[in-house]
Amino acid sequence: MEEIWEPHAGAAAAGRPRPLAVEGLDLLVTGEATARVTDEGVVEVTGADDGEVRIEWRVPCVDATAFWSPDSSLTGWLPASWSAPRRVSLTRGAPVAALVGTGDVAICAFAADRADVLAGAGVVEESAEFRFWVQATGRLTVRIDTSRRHFARCLAGIAGWWWAGREAHVPDAARLPAYSTWYSMHQNVSPAAVESQAALGKELGLDLIIVDDGWMTGDRTRGYAHCGDWEPISLPDTAAHVQRVHDLGVQYMLWYALPFIGQDSEAAKKLGRYALKQDDRMGVIVADPRYAVVRDHLTDRLARAVEEWGMDGLKVDFVDWFDVQDPPPAGPEADCATVAEGVERLLGGIRSRITAARPQAMIEHRQPYVSPGLWPYTTMVRATDCPLSPAENRQRTIDTRLVAGPMAVHADMLMWHPAEPPEQVACHLINVLFSVPQISVDLAAQTPEQREVLAFWLGFVREHLATLQLGELRPDRPDLGYPMVTAVGPDTVAVGRYAPLPVRAVAGSWRTLLVANADADPEVHLLGGSGEAEATVQDARGRVLRKGVLDLTGAAVVAVPRGGLLTLRRP
């Protein structure tokens, strides 16, 4: 049953709504607020430093095609105005959304400058308008962009606004293809297995290995009751093992379920009473970071991986579990007023410790904890688990990229059945082409053809990293799950084609045009071009099928097999 939300619920305490006139936008404000229009034509509304403030506005719902949200499960359909609002916090979601119209323009994109807000959006049935509102206690600024630029440009502007004046440090290694043990090994990790996959992965272009769950326990039942002590039960002589991986030329990251203190751990005896909540199904408590004793224990345990064992970074998992809507009252030992403050102190302490030991140390977070408030504490953000789901992985990585700012965005780990044909292995990689791929299959079990696919496409990702990850991202049709995605670099344009759609080859915008075809239809129509270009067609394994000069004037059609690549080069 759909939850119904009273439009002005919660606002009564701040007084009656009042209009706030801004050119081109009618605002309704509860509480004290002022508005200004920036040089870019973007409206910024700022609420008072204390008390409750609510900012509401409406736009005509004309030519609307999709409602975009960083929560990928919500992107596409248009919610009703009476739908339950999103409660955004430091560790869950991000305070941003957009109403997208025909041509992928942003009818309206908005964001808040703080993590903890209540935000609603939806179609008003009585007027066919689309209503937005944001509510918070304390100082709040909301950015409202009705410029009708491509929605990706509006969202990039929001990410830049969030990060303005700050510097990001994302090590180069955070943007290179990685190997993960999760789907390939699950908890069955051992030094020999890790070192074997690291060696095989290095040959294919994987310079980083991420060892997931199982290293800290001999139990193989996939539970979390052994979390909290973080002793390397399955990775004995850990520093020597890490050094052997380093000797292969491969960097090493280690997984931690940060909030969990398992019921079978020694840590539970010490920290069991500092619980935000208990989850008997998972066999854990969620530790309360408002207490210094909790933060100190977790920081020491995680920093040890880098300081003592020589790891290159940490995969910090389940941070969203700190998001407890009604936490218990803090006891007298607590030194933080809120859980969010405790989380920031915890993550900040971990980041400081590991970068002091290794300045290029990496930290991975994942959806749904994608808030810009967490950016100072991470280097990379991964799409949430979606095993063997290429379309879902594509949508989640693109949604994350759109508002990730300086962070490297990683795909969920790629896995496939041993009988997967090479063309489909290539399609898995093409679907996450605009993020960092993580591979999680037994590399020793791959056929020669599958290994060729991996070597070719991982090499392609590395060669064109500047365009694929750092170029301007222009995804098409969020309402259809991005059937085509384009990245624009200084002189290279890369296109991922996931449906039988024509590709724009407009003259003057590129010297190199790359079209990766993940659709079963091989006929790639090139529109809007002029002149000639050298064309090369390769199959999923990188083998050259055809070469020649192609006339782009008007329209051209090139046969590119599923999982293959078309490369056009101008002199």
Side-chain angles (χ1 to χ4, degrees):
M1 182 177 177
E2 184 72 42
E3 184 176 353
I4 296 177
W5 180 260
E6 166 60 34
H8 291 285
R16 296 182 60 83
R18 62 182 180 84
L20 185 63
V22 177
E23 184 178 355
L25 191 67
D26 291 326
L27 295 162
L28 195 63
V29 176
T30 305
E32 294 300 318
T34 58
R36 76 182 190 96
V37 180
T38 71
D39 294 339
E40 302 170 309
V42 175
V43 176
E44 291 183 0
V45 186
T46 300
D49 290 343
D50 54 10
E52 189 173 87
V53 63
R54 175 189 169 103
I55 301 164
E56 179 180 323
W57 67 100
R58 301 186 184 197
V59 297
C61 197
V62 176
D63 255 355
T65 59
F67 178 68
W68 182 90
S69 162
D71 181 349
S72 301
S73 62
L74 299 178
T75 294
W77 64 293
L78 301 182
S81 61
W82 41 260
S83 300
R86 289 188 301 136
R87 186 180 63 84
V88 179
S89 72
L90 177 70
T91 57
R92 184 178 293 273
V96 58
L99 179 64
V100 183
T102 301
D104 293 333
V105 302
I107 297 172
C108 181
F110 82 92
D113 69 340
R114 52 183 289 176
D116 53 331
V117 300
L118 196 64
V123 174
V124 180
E125 296 169 352
E126 293 82 356
S127 63
E129 294 174 299
F130 202 87
R131 186 183 68 214
F132 301 85
W133 59 267
V134 182
Q135 182 175 310
T137 300
R139 185 175 177 82
L140 167 70
T141 296
V142 175
R143 176 185 172 99
I144 305 170
D145 187 339
T146 57
S147 64
R148 299 191 71 87
R149 296 176 293 167
H150 191 284
F151 81 101
R153 286 188 170 177
C154 292
L155 294 175
I158 284 169
W161 176 65
W162 279 334
W163 197 247
R166 293 184 283 179
E167 292 185 3
H169 178 62
V170 178
D172 292 342
R175 298 193 182 277
L176 296 176
Y179 184 87
S180 169
T181 64
W182 179 235
Y183 292 143
S184 57
M185 300 183 195
H186 285 107
Q187 289 186 313
N188 299 307
V189 299
S190 68
V194 170
E195 291 164 30
S196 173
Q197 296 300 317
L200 292 168
K202 178 65 176 179
E203 296 174 3
L204 297 171
L206 300 170
D207 288 340
L208 169 66
I209 191 164
I210 303 173
V211 173
D212 211 288
D213 192 359
W215 65 270
M216 73 301 175
T217 177
D219 183 84
R220 296 295 181 252
T221 58
R222 298 267 301 263
Y224 296 94
H226 298 277
C227 294
D229 296 333
W230 303 115
E231 294 292 340
I233 304 300
S234 294
L235 296 177
D237 199 7
T238 313
H241 159 61
V242 173
Q243 185 58 53
R244 290 193 294 272
V245 172
H246 282 167
D247 289 344
L248 297 169
V250 176
Q251 296 198 43
Y252 201 133
M253 293 176 66
L254 197 60
W255 171 89
Y256 289 85
L258 179 63
F260 293 168
I261 303 296
Q263 62 189 16
D264 294 335
S265 69
E266 286 298 312
K269 299 174 183 177
K270 172 185 176 184
L271 302 176
R273 63 193 183 95
Y274 302 104
L276 279 176
K277 68 176 181 181
Q278 180 171 322
D279 192 304
D280 293 330
R281 181 180 64 87
M282 302 281 276
V284 300
I285 67 161
V286 176
D288 191 337
R290 291 176 292 186
Y291 297 90
V293 64
V294 170
R295 299 194 305 274
D296 291 347
H297 172 83
L298 295 177
T299 300
D300 287 343
R301 293 291 88 190
L302 271 69
R304 182 185 182 195
V306 177
E307 294 172 342
E308 296 182 23
W309 302 333
M311 300 284 183
D312 300 283
L314 311 173
K315 175 177 180 174
V316 181
D317 213 347
F318 295 105
V319 173
D320 50 315
W321 280 63
F322 284 124
D323 181 52
V324 176
Q325 189 162 359
D326 296 306
E333 298 174 60
D335 59 357
C336 296
T338 64
V339 174
E341 181 186 349
V343 170
E344 289 202 73
R345 287 198 193 185
L346 172 61
L347 296 177
I350 293 169
R351 178 75 187 262
S352 296
R353 285 274 295 272
I354 68 171
T355 53
R358 189 174 293 264
Q360 299 297 313
M362 297 171 283
I363 297 178
E364 180 192 282
H365 288 178
R366 66 167 171 85
Q367 290 177 310
Y369 43 103
V370 296
S371 169
L374 295 179
W375 289 356
Y377 315 119
T378 187
T379 53
M380 52 230 260
V381 181
R382 178 176 65 81
T384 198
D385 298 25
C386 49
L388 251 176
S389 301
E392 181 77 2
N393 218 349
R394 177 176 78 243
Q395 180 167 337
R396 288 190 172 278
T397 52
I398 296 302
D399 284 344
T400 305
R401 269 285 309 271
L402 287 168
V403 287
M407 301 299 108
V409 172
H410 283 233
D412 184 41
M413 296 77 71
L414 301 184
M415 58 163 287
W416 49 81
H417 190 275
E420 194 83 281
E423 295 78 13
Q424 185 60 19
V425 173
C427 288
H428 286 298
L429 286 155
I430 295 171
N431 270 279
V432 300
L433 198 60
F434 303 92
S435 62
V436 181
Q438 291 189 16
I439 308 301
S440 191
V441 293
D442 181 359
L443 296 175
Q446 301 305 296
T447 66
E449 293 79 11
Q450 290 169 328
R451 288 175 59 82
E452 284 182 282
V453 172
L454 280 167
F456 173 60
W457 281 106
L458 292 175
F460 178 86
V461 167
R462 295 167 67 97
E463 180 183 358
H464 298 288
L465 184 152
T467 297
L468 297 172
Q469 295 186 41
L470 302 174
E472 181 183 353
L473 190 67
R474 297 180 186 171
D476 290 356
R477 301 298 299 272
D479 53 315
L480 299 179
Y482 309 124
M484 190 153 62
V485 179
T486 303
V488 180
D491 58 8
T492 299
V493 174
V495 177
R497 179 180 181 265
Y498 311 105
L501 297 173
V503 175
R504 295 176 291 275
V506 179
S509 61
W510 53 272
R511 289 186 180 179
T512 301
L513 176 62
L514 307 164
V515 182
N517 181 36
D519 190 70
D521 173 22
E523 292 192 352
V524 176
H525 292 251
L526 302 167
L527 304 179
S530 64
E532 295 181 339
E534 295 178 358
T536 302
V537 176
Q538 294 168 276
D539 68 6
R541 295 155 61 184
R543 298 177 300 177
V544 176
L545 302 181
R546 289 181 302 282
K547 270 189 169 185
V549 177
L550 182 67
D551 186 358
L552 296 173
T553 303
V557 181
V558 182
V560 183
R562 181 168 68 102
L565 174 69
L566 168 64
T567 302
L568 298 177
R569 287 192 172 91
R570 296 180 184 277

